[in-house]
Amino acid sequence: MSSDRSLTDHHMAASHPSEYVVGSDESQGKQYSHQAAANEAHIARRQALDELDNAKFGWFHVKACMVAGVGFFTDSYDIFAINLCSLIMGYVYYADAEGSAKNTTPTNIDTWIKGSTQLGCIVGQLLFGYLSDRLGRKRIYGVELMIIIVCTIGGAFAGSTARGLSVYWILFIWRLVLGIGIGGDYPVSAIITSEFATTKRRGAMVAAVFAMQGFGIVAAAIVAIVVLACFKSAINSDQLALDYVWRIIMGLGAVPGLVALYFRMTIPETPRYTLDVEKDAHRAARDVKAAVGNKEVDESAAPLYQVSRQPPKSTKPTWTEFYHHFKHWRHLKVLLGTSISWFALDVAFYGINLNSSVILNAIGFVGSGSPYNKLMKNAAGNIILNLLGTIPGYWVTVFTIDRLGRRTIQFIGFTFLLILFCILGFGYHKILDKSVAGFIVLFTLAQFFQNFGPNATTFIIPAEAFPTRFRSTCHGISAASGKVGAVVSSLGFFHLKDKGGPNAFIPHLIEIFALFMLLGLVATWWVPETRGKSLEELNDEEDQQYE
């Protein structure tokens, strides 16, 4: 059958040679045209990425950091403000309780109100991480901020229903959904900043965005002091006036988000996503031009701007593609390294704050007397705690990360934390008995090396160490692993601290935290050093071809 067909074809070719030659030329011409277009797009891609990586640091980079940073300022404000608000709410809703329960939010309620945000964060990090890869960074950037704004305002107006739900339950629901927005901000802001950054300053840019958390924490305490001062006479005459105070403190958390929302909605898509997922080299060229501020490029001469305007062939990432990529150990170990190290860090990061009451008492900031005095001293004490170790740690990271390297700083941080937690855990009572000042110094050093260390690097490395098609998803998985650690600490270990008596188990918890620091140290061996390399070098994407 096949031989008869070939004979027929041969006969027709002999009878009509011109038609066969023309058909062959057309096929070869189309193939050549397709290959030329692919080569043209490939050249344009390389030029676009080179312009991004080697661009002069300018206003666009500053704006990108500010727009993303305001989101993290808002996130940390909202997360920290609930600590103060829950304290204030005890004076409003448990003013008539008796004994030790008077003016105090019950431990179980307090734990779940604070933990609800962490639970929501896990959902938000996984959901928005995936959507950012699937739909694009720009398309969802701002959606998470809208959720934060709406839920912050909603929480500020929370009240009891006629039947069934108390103000705490309503607040729990608002805070749970708020956590989804806050969680979504982690992967999207990190990836956008990383993909727009220059290679030389990428670490500092992403670290600066994350460092805004420190200012958000301090801002919440400052706002609390200002609002309390405004209501001083009303509180002293009737402590129920504090009902206004906690609502105002919480509601003001929406203000920075409202300021940043417009800029988030108008930020362009990252050229890397446009190039490698949407396959639209021409639009990426325009976005690169906007990003690097190059207004004088001759578009008629530069291959980047001559690229074909044919409709792009978008290739969205799939879970099958994700599986085939990470079934190889050399890729999987990186995801495990970023996830486990973040998990280990957050167990201790959220757990070590169990000691803050000891520090506040030692420096004389556990108030006595009226509700006003107690709350003012608590807020002021928390400002001091964060200025001692937290904020300096963040900014030392910003200024050194592109010199020392991410992996190096993470090793340094976990190593010092392991040593400090062993000292604090095994020598807890001896240190407190002999020198409270010594305990404060060790506690401050622990805060410093958390932030000049894994608290910053676990956020930065996942924004660099994965391919463009999965970068946001992997950052979301890593961040969610960290928040699982936070939930384990805040909802699990918190209940152990009073085992055997008030705060009796804290020394053993710190010893447990030391083990988690050892786990983080081991996981860091699987994490690559990303300093001084382009995102494409790190992920073998330099020669990615267009089809």
Side-chain angles (χ1 to χ4, degrees), residues 372-393:
Y372 174 83
N373 287 333
K374 290 181 180 178
L375 293 169
M376 284 291 279
K377 283 197 170 184
N378 184 281
N382 277 289
I383 292 175
I384 294 171
L385 282 182
N386 284 284
L387 290 177
L388 284 175
T390 302
I391 290 180

Side-chain angles (χ1 to χ4, degrees), residues 176-196:
L176 183 67
V177 183
L178 170 72
I180 295 175
I182 291 175
D185 204 24
Y186 275 70
V188 185
S189 286
I191 300 310
I192 283 181
T193 307
S194 175
E195 291 184 348
F196 272 122

Side-chain angles (χ1 to χ4, degrees), residues 13 55 62 87 104 160-161 169 194 198 256 260 267 291 295 326 337 374-375 388 456 458 471 474 486-487 495 510:
V62 174
L87 194 64
T104 304
S160 299
T161 59
W169 269 110
S194 175
T198 65
I267 200 167
K295 306 296 184 183
F326 286 101
K374 290 181 180 178
L375 293 169
L388 284 175
T458 52
R471 188 170 291 131
C474 293
V487 170
H495 292 284
I510 298 176

Side-chain angles (χ1 to χ4, degrees), residues 251-456:
L252 286 174
V255 174
L258 286 168
V259 172
L261 184 59
Y262 168 77
F263 296 100
R264 286 201 173 191
M265 300 295 289
T266 55
I267 200 167
E269 181 60 86
T270 70
R272 284 184 161 89
Y273 186 87
T274 307
L275 286 166
D276 293 343
V277 179
E278 295 182 341
K279 305 296 185 183
D280 190 341
H282 185 76
R283 183 157 67 86
R286 296 199 310 269
D287 291 343
V288 168
K289 185 179 178 183
V292 301
N294 191 354
K295 306 296 184 183
E296 300 178 358
V297 173
D298 181 4
E299 297 192 11
S300 64
L304 174 60
Y305 302 100
Q306 292 179 330
V307 69
S308 172
R309 300 194 185 201
Q310 293 179 354
K313 296 180 180 180
S314 178
T315 56
K316 301 294 184 181
T318 64
W319 287 112
T320 302
E321 189 181 1
F322 182 91
Y323 165 76
H324 283 296
H325 182 82
F326 286 101
K327 71 180 181 180
H328 302 288
W329 173 244
R330 70 189 184 97
H331 299 311
L332 179 61
K333 72 176 182 180
V334 178
L335 183 57
L336 289 174
T338 58
S339 300
I340 294 172
S341 57
W342 204 334
F343 168 81
L345 179 275
D346 271 13
V347 170
F349 183 79
Y350 287 88
I352 196 63
N353 288 325
L354 296 173
N355 285 287
S356 57
S357 60
V358 176
I359 303 298
L360 292 175
N361 185 57
I363 61 178
F365 278 87
V366 174
S368 59
S370 69
Y372 174 83
N373 287 333
K374 290 181 180 178
L375 293 169
M376 284 291 279
K377 283 197 170 184
N378 184 281
N382 277 289
I383 292 175
I384 294 171
L385 282 182
N386 284 284
L387 290 177
L388 284 175
T390 302
I391 290 180
Y394 278 126
W395 289 96
V396 170
T397 300
V398 172
F399 292 117
T400 62
I401 193 163
D402 286 316
R403 296 175 185 174
L404 298 178
R406 290 70 154 150
R407 195 166 181 253
T408 301
I409 291 176
Q410 187 157 308
F411 269 126
I412 291 171
F414 273 129
T415 301
F416 274 95
L417 289 170
L418 173 61
I419 295 168
L420 288 166
F421 287 156
C422 284
I423 295 170
L424 283 169
F426 290 104
Y428 189 87
H429 294 294
K430 290 181 181 178
I431 296 170
L432 277 176
D433 291 340
K434 290 186 177 180
S435 175
V436 173
F439 188 89
I440 294 172
V441 169
L442 291 171
F443 181 81
T444 300
L445 285 173
Q447 284 192 313
F448 177 82
F449 282 108
Q450 281 179 330
N451 296 294
F452 175 59
N455 191 38

Side-chain angles (χ1 to χ4, degrees), residues 64 67 91 118-119 145 147 238 251 307 312 317 335 379 412 431 436:
V67 171
Y91 289 97
Q118 309 296 348
L119 292 171
L145 198 55
I147 294 173
D238 181 7
V307 69
L335 183 57
I412 291 171
I431 296 170
V436 173

